[in-house]
Amino acid sequence: MPYLYLDDLRLYYEEEGDGQPLVLIHGASQDTLSWHDNIRHFATRYRVLAIDLPGHGKSALVERRPTTTTAEFTGVVWRFIEAKQLREPIIIGHSLGAGVAIMTSIEHPEAIKGVVAVCGGAAFRGSAGVSYQGDLLRNTQINATDWLETIFHSVLGRTTSLERRREMAFDATRCSPYVSYADLLTYAGLNLYEAMHKVRRPVHWIVGEDDWSTTPAMARATSAQFAAQGVDSEVHELKGLGHIPHWEQPDAFNAMLDTVLAKFDAVER
């Protein structure tokens, strides 16, 4: 169970394999556990590093408070990449983590090979453009744990088994309710639309057909704008899956990500 200390911040991560670095960034209220059925598959060909973001899993909080901005998470991810001396990693971010991944590539385009955005990272205009706003956010603050367990069931795809749904919902409730609520503020607060023109590295999406949180249509609209800017970008849709495809049905997700990573492997700088 390795830890990395970034000054006084204790960051937990898991690492397996050798080769091209893949940095996995989980979504809201989650941690490295959400990737437990993916890491070993990709570690046969890549150097896979999965991070617990601050306040999640075994990582400490930043200054003893939950993080509420994508920029703060982005700064931590970049410091991790520097500390581990990762050369041109591909960042794979889920949901909240997708926004973090894209913003990291914007801040450090010379150092990042590309991004895979999993059910996240669409060109929202801040809280006005996402599904988490207004009364929903206020209701979440009242009882984040119960809300989270309920919402997990609603964002999953119709072909995901009830047993898997219950497992995922239970695991997500391990997250502190203060951190869970802060994650929603972070997710809703990112206005990627204003930063889209700065994207230089490839961005590929993997999305679930049944995801209402970051819909396939949102991903396609964002990808089309990136392509119009000359950025290599495509959307890859998983039928019958929802917002957390890598955890819902790992075999289907792993096969799709294999296809996407092959595209990065074929691209030379």
Side-chain angles (χ1 to χ4, degrees), residues 127-194:
S127 59
V130 299
S131 302
Y132 302 101
Q133 54 183 289
D135 288 341
L136 190 148
L137 279 177
R138 284 188 287 273
N139 291 340
T140 304
Q141 191 176 23
I142 295 170
N143 191 331
T145 301
D146 284 355
W147 179 90
L148 180 65
E149 187 170 3
T150 301
I151 205 71
F152 252 67
H153 285 281
S154 80
V155 299
L156 305 183
R158 63 185 183 276
T159 63
T160 299
S161 70
L162 179 59
E163 179 181 3
R164 191 64 156 180
R165 289 168 178 269
R166 287 171 172 167
E167 172 195 332
M168 295 171 66
F170 174 76
D171 283 341
T173 60
R174 295 181 299 109
C175 187
S176 159
Y178 300 104
V179 172
S180 295
Y181 180 67
D183 282 352
L184 289 181
L185 296 179
T186 302
Y187 179 78
L190 174 62
N191 191 338
L192 180 60
Y193 188 86
E194 292 184 347

Side-chain angles (χ1 to χ4, degrees), residues 49-119:
L49 304 99
I51 306 171
D52 278 353
L53 291 173
H56 299 75
K58 301 181 184 71
S59 289
L61 293 166
V62 175
E63 298 176 354
R64 300 185 180 180
R65 45 130 183 100
T67 295
T68 56
T69 67
T70 299
E72 186 164 272
F73 282 140
T74 296
V76 170
V77 170
W78 174 244
R79 289 167 66 198
F80 175 84
I81 289 171
E82 281 194 308
K84 295 295 292 181
Q85 299 181 333
L86 303 181
R87 184 176 179 273
E88 294 189 344
I90 298 170
I91 308 179
I92 302 168
H94 167 243
S95 190
L96 175 150
V100 174
I102 292 172
M103 294 307 293
T104 303
S105 78
I106 288 174
E107 294 294 329
H108 306 280
E110 75 292 342
I112 306 301
K113 187 167 186 178
V115 169
V116 180
V118 181
C119 296

Side-chain angles (χ1 to χ4, degrees), residues 229-247:
Q229 298 171 192
V231 175
D232 178 23
S233 183
E234 294 181 6
V235 177
H236 311 265
E237 186 174 328
L238 288 165
K239 299 297 183 182
L241 297 188
H243 187 62
I244 318 177
H246 56 291
W247 200 357

